[in-house]
Amino acid sequence: MKQIWFKLSFLIIISLLFSTLETRFFDYNNCIFHFDDNGINVTYNLTLLHINGGVFQVDDYDYLSNFRYEFQICGHISRTYWNTSIPSYCKNVSTNYETKGRPCLNISNSNCSAYYNISQQRASAVQINEFTHVCRWLGTEISESYSKEYNLTNYTVSLYDSSNGAAGIIYTIENGEFCATGQPPRYNRQLTVELICPDSAKQYFSPQIEASKILNETVIEHPQCAYTLSITTPLACPAQCIDVNITGGNKYSVCNGKGLCVTDPIAGSVKCLCDDGWTGDTCNQVESTIVIIQHSQSSLLTVIIICIVLLTIALGLVLILCYQIRKREENIRDKQKDYIQPLTNEDVAVNIDHDHDHDYDHDHDHDHDHLCGEWHEILPTTPHHPLTINPK
């Protein structure tokens, strides 16, 4: 008995462990990230956010800071843009850890014992103040060998909302220059970009134009040397909800502009919740009226069906009743023809005589006259005229 309970308990524990596992497949090279958190399957393809030959530009909404943030998603800032658009004071990398550029490879007791040797520019994010000529590297793409040796990653990703897989993704650019200021603990600077899928995106857009907009956003520094900003863009929606209109010049949209990207906990995935009249994986197909009623107004459809059935039954009862009434009238007319016959000239006249042996034949007045007065004669009639009685 104890063995049975032990096995049962073991199976329960194993099932609970598997039910809480989160399966994730991250392809940083192709910038595709698959999550299976809380049983919801969702894939984010951030290659649409990569700007060839350009960067994201975000001006800090706090005008007192005068900082501008320029960064790239899924890779480092291109050499062409770096050479032509990044200020020169960002490029003079110093060997001194207190200046710009060099990420720390080994941080011990808030001190850096080994710096990354930047022989070539591979910055992925910078913070620029054009008034004070201050530039800080917030992210660097380090080589794969150093990444493995020091257990460092160039980027980290997570869901924006763990309970809503369609809400967006958090993309953190790592390995900025070592932050030696402030109180311990100390670490490399980093930039966290919260990429939020909009609740409503009703138009097509070009990824290059969308990504190259200069945005005004509030940038939060917390904790020290860790910067966070949020960008709401349709480029941040799950791959399952992105629709491509090839005929429109490679224009993209979220759910074809005819729905919202939502989490479906029953199906265990994200999908497009289409507006009335549209269907398909990305709401790109016209839906018939009947299907619309079935999906959005199933109760109304039930009421309509019940009304049609009741109306059919009522109509049938009326027809049956009308048939019975008509049949009855025909029977009555047939009986009238059998009982009502016209009188002919050969019919005998009716003689009311007081000599018959009946109680009513006595002449109580003793006038020896006829009880009913004079003789009467019933004249013959036609079937369409009533009988007439004339005095004889």
Side-chain angles (χ1 to χ4, degrees):
M1 187 68 178
K2 291 182 178 180
Q3 291 181 349
I4 296 176
W5 279 108
F6 175 78
K7 291 181 179 179
L8 182 61
S9 301
F10 178 76
L11 290 174
I12 293 174
I13 293 173
I14 293 298
S15 62
L16 290 174
L17 287 174
F18 275 101
S19 65
T20 56
L21 286 178
E22 296 180 349
T23 305
R24 298 180 176 183
F25 301 98
F26 297 161
D27 184 355
Y28 285 97
N29 292 329
N30 295 315
C31 213
I32 298 175
F33 308 99
H34 176 78
F35 298 86
D36 190 12
D37 294 14
N38 300 321
I40 303 298
N41 292 293
V42 57
T43 301
Y44 283 89
N45 184 356
L46 300 187
T47 55
L48 295 177
L49 287 160
H50 182 80
I51 306 175
N52 294 323
V55 294
F56 272 94
Q57 293 186 12
V58 176
D59 291 335
D60 193 345
Y61 195 77
D62 183 3
Y63 65 93
L64 295 177
S65 68
N66 294 318
F67 280 117
R68 183 176 77 252
Y69 296 81
E70 299 193 8
F71 56 92
Q72 180 66 283
I73 300 293
C74 301
H76 59 81
I77 299 173
S78 68
R79 182 172 297 276
T80 301
Y81 187 86
W82 181 266
N83 293 334
T84 58
S85 302
I86 296 295
S88 59
Y89 48 85
C90 285
K91 305 171 185 177
N92 299 324
V93 180
S94 172
T95 57
N96 190 330
Y97 69 86
E98 292 183 347
T99 59
K100 65 193 75 55
R102 290 165 53 89
C104 182
L105 298 175
N106 187 16
I107 301 175
S108 177
N109 297 323
S110 296
N111 294 316
C112 183
S113 59
Y115 291 92
Y116 183 62
N117 183 17
I118 304 178
S119 58
Q120 294 181 352
Q121 176 279 321
R122 294 182 68 88
S124 47
V126 292
Q127 180 194 58
I128 301 171
N129 189 323
E130 294 182 345
F131 294 95
T132 60
H133 287 191
V134 172
C135 179
R136 300 187 180 98
W137 288 30
L138 304 184
T140 306
E141 267 197 353
I142 63 176
S143 63
E144 185 177 354
S145 59
Y146 278 95
S147 177
K148 291 181 178 179
E149 180 179 356
Y150 293 98
N151 193 26
L152 297 174
T153 57
N154 292 324
Y155 317 99
T156 58
V157 293
S158 61
L159 289 177
Y160 177 74
D161 185 350
S162 59
S163 63
N164 181 10
I169 189 173
I170 297 176
Y171 185 86
T172 301
I173 302 172
E174 306 278 3
N175 304 324
E177 64 186 57
F178 180 63
C179 182
T181 61
Q183 298 296 322
R186 298 187 179 95
Y187 37 79
N188 295 328
R189 297 178 186 271
Q190 65 180 31
L191 176 64
T192 297
V193 183
E194 297 176 340
L195 299 168
I196 303 172
C197 178
D199 292 335
S200 177
K202 296 297 184 182
Q203 69 282 337
Y204 280 87
F205 57 88
S206 169
Q208 289 296 107
I209 296 176
E210 179 70 24
S212 61
K213 294 178 180 178
I214 298 178
L215 306 172
N216 292 315
E217 302 288 344
T218 299
V219 181
I220 300 173
E221 183 181 1
H222 182 78
Q224 189 175 18
C225 300
Y227 307 90
T228 302
L229 59 89
S230 299
I231 299 177
T232 301
T233 171
L235 298 172
C237 292
Q240 291 94 326
C241 298
I242 298 295
D243 179 66
V244 183
N245 182 11
I246 302 298
T247 59
N250 289 340
K251 295 290 185 178
Y252 291 73
S253 70
V254 180
C255 300
N256 193 36
K258 303 295 188 299
L260 298 177
C261 189
V262 298
T263 299
D264 186 352
I266 297 178
S269 62
V270 298
K271 68 175 188 178
C272 286
L273 181 63
C274 301
D275 298 337
D276 288 346
W278 295 90
T279 186
D281 293 339
T282 56
C283 305
N284 57 354
Q285 299 175 14
V286 178
E287 190 176 37
S288 66
T289 305
I290 295 178
V291 176
I292 293 173
I293 293 177
Q294 289 176 346
H295 282 277
S296 61
Q297 301 178 1
S298 58
S299 59
L300 177 60
L301 178 62
T302 303
V303 172
I304 292 175
I305 292 175
I306 293 175
C307 290
I308 293 175
V309 172
L310 293 177
L311 183 61
T312 303
I313 295 174
L315 182 60
L317 292 176
V318 170
L319 292 176
I320 293 174
L321 182 60
C322 291
Y323 174 78
Q324 291 179 347
I325 293 174
R326 183 174 179 181
K327 192 68 176 178
R328 184 178 178 183
E329 291 178 349
E330 291 178 354
N331 293 336
I332 293 175
R333 285 196 295 268
D334 292 341
K335 290 181 180 180
Q336 288 177 346
K337 291 179 180 179
D338 294 339
Y339 287 101
I340 301 177
Q341 299 293 336
L343 293 177
T344 63
N345 294 330
E346 299 176 354
D347 293 333
V348 180
V350 178
N351 182 19
I352 301 177
D353 193 353
H354 64 277
D355 293 335
H356 293 286
D357 295 333
H358 194 277
D359 292 337
Y360 296 103
D361 293 341
H362 299 286
D363 184 3
H364 298 286
D365 295 333
H366 306 284
D367 54 1
H368 304 286
D369 293 331
H370 296 291
L371 180 63
C372 292
E374 301 174 318
W375 286 86
H376 292 80
E377 180 182 6
I378 299 177
L379 300 178
T381 64
T382 63
H384 301 288
H385 296 284
L387 296 176
T388 56
I389 302 176
N390 294 328
K392 187 172 181 183

